[in-house]
Amino acid sequence: MKNKYLIRLDDACPTMDAKKWQRIESILDIYGVRPMVGVIPANNDPKQMSDSSDGGFWAKVKRWEKKGWAIALHGYDHCFISDAGMSGLNPLWHRSEFAGVSLARQKEKIRKGVEVFRSNGLDPKYFFAPAHTYDKNTLQALREESNIRIISDTIATKPYCKDDFVYIPQLGGHCIEMKIPGIWTFCLHPSAMKEEDFDTTERFLNAHKDEMVAFDDLNLTDLKGKDLISRMLSWVYFTRRRLKGTK
């Protein structure tokens, strides 16, 4: 199996760093890369307030969608209200907007987030949570309050299906050549990227342009559960994180 690489851009919102987002968009366009963009519907996280509010933000998101970019619901307000992330389904961090939060509260967040999207002419089919942390209540909230059945966050070598949701692997916060064959998503945070991050990303895209794919081009039909190699990779990854300690 030949490696396939996908790019995910996190934390799009009206107060993102407009210049940095334009720069990463220009780089991706050069290499014909169509990423996923995680949009925060109602950002209230001061760390995501890098610029003055862009009144044309949702028109920009619509433009991205027309270019073939996958648009994802990225939580609701990006505020961490729980320290139960390590008890969730993707235990990367303690902090969470979703994991450990009541079903009623999570349903409210998903419902309001979807309403913001739909009021701007968008109907998301992908989801990933702030800090990568969510739990079974999050899945139930997505079932009841949205049409979303695809989640971009898991440790595996390829997409798999479980409990009527499709999971697309996401591993790593920068682009790097993977030694294990698989389908790999790298998540970038454009507002926080430095000069060397843009240079590293562009070098990777230039070297691996033939291995880049778009989310909407993935064949996600007739998927099975997580295979043995993916289960082993997941166990090793999360065991190492627990031993190192997380915040």
Side-chain angles (χ1 to χ4, degrees):
M1 178 182 177
K2 189 177 181 180
N3 274 331
K4 294 181 180 179
Y5 297 114
L6 303 105
I7 300 293
R8 195 181 88 184
L9 306 180
D10 289 23
D11 304 332
C13 62
T15 53
M16 63 192 185
D17 189 312
K19 289 184 179 179
K20 289 185 178 181
W21 274 82
Q22 182 56 59
R23 181 169 181 185
I24 195 64
E25 180 174 355
S26 297
I27 291 172
L28 295 176
D29 284 348
I30 289 172
Y31 297 97
V33 176
R34 291 173 288 151
M36 174 183 289
V37 181
V39 178
I40 307 169
N43 178 57
N44 201 30
D45 180 356
K47 292 183 178 180
Q48 305 306 326
M49 298 177 184
S50 303
D51 219 330
S52 56
S53 186
D54 178 6
F57 172 74
W58 287 101
K60 184 177 294 183
V61 178
K62 288 283 289 182
R63 178 173 59 78
W64 290 337
E65 184 183 52
K66 289 180 179 178
K67 288 169 64 170
W69 292 23
I71 308 300
L73 177 69
H74 183 36
Y76 177 60
D77 57 16
H78 211 276
C79 292
F80 302 121
I81 57 176
S82 168
D83 292 320
M86 295 299 288
S87 66
L89 299 176
N90 198 52
L92 266 73
W93 307 103
H94 289 284
R95 63 184 186 270
S96 185
E97 182 182 345
F98 290 89
V101 178
S102 70
L103 175 60
R105 185 76 180 277
Q106 294 202 46
K107 287 175 62 176
E108 179 185 25
K109 284 176 171 289
I110 298 299
R111 181 174 63 254
K112 288 184 175 180
V114 171
E115 287 174 353
V116 172
F117 269 66
R118 289 176 177 168
S119 69
N120 287 283
L122 297 153
D123 194 7
K125 69 176 185 178
Y126 301 96
F127 172 84
F128 61 92
H132 311 270
T133 49
Y134 58 95
D135 60 14
K136 291 183 179 179
N137 279 344
T138 315
L139 302 184
Q140 189 61 30
L142 289 168
R143 287 189 192 98
E144 297 186 26
E145 302 293 345
S146 78
N147 296 320
I148 296 171
R149 297 295 183 272
I150 307 175
I151 293 176
S152 167
D153 256 328
T154 188
I155 304 301
T157 62
K158 60 184 178 182
Y160 64 91
C161 185
K162 183 179 180 181
D163 299 329
D164 71 359
F165 279 89
V166 168
Y167 295 84
I168 301 175
Q170 189 281 305
L171 182 65
H174 60 279
C175 298
I176 185 172
E177 184 174 336
M178 301 299 292
K179 303 304 181 183
I180 302 174
I183 298 173
W184 306 103
T185 302
F186 303 121
C187 76
L188 308 178
H189 297 76
S191 290
M193 289 176 70
K194 297 179 172 57
E195 183 68 29
E196 57 266 32
D197 299 323
F198 289 103
D199 292 341
T200 298
T201 299
E202 185 159 15
R203 284 196 299 270
F204 180 88
L205 296 181
N206 184 55
H208 298 276
K209 50 182 174 292
D210 294 334
E211 298 157 77
M212 305 302 300
V213 295
F215 286 86
D216 287 345
D217 291 341
L218 294 175
N219 183 359
L220 302 178
T221 59
D222 300 321
L223 292 178
K224 298 180 180 179
K226 185 183 285 191
D227 63 19
L228 178 60
I229 294 176
S230 292
R231 292 199 301 271
M232 291 175 61
L233 177 64
S234 181
W235 183 85
V236 170
Y237 183 85
F238 288 121
T239 297
R240 288 183 63 188
R241 287 188 66 82
R242 284 194 296 272
L243 291 175
K244 288 174 60 178
T246 59
K247 297 179 180 180

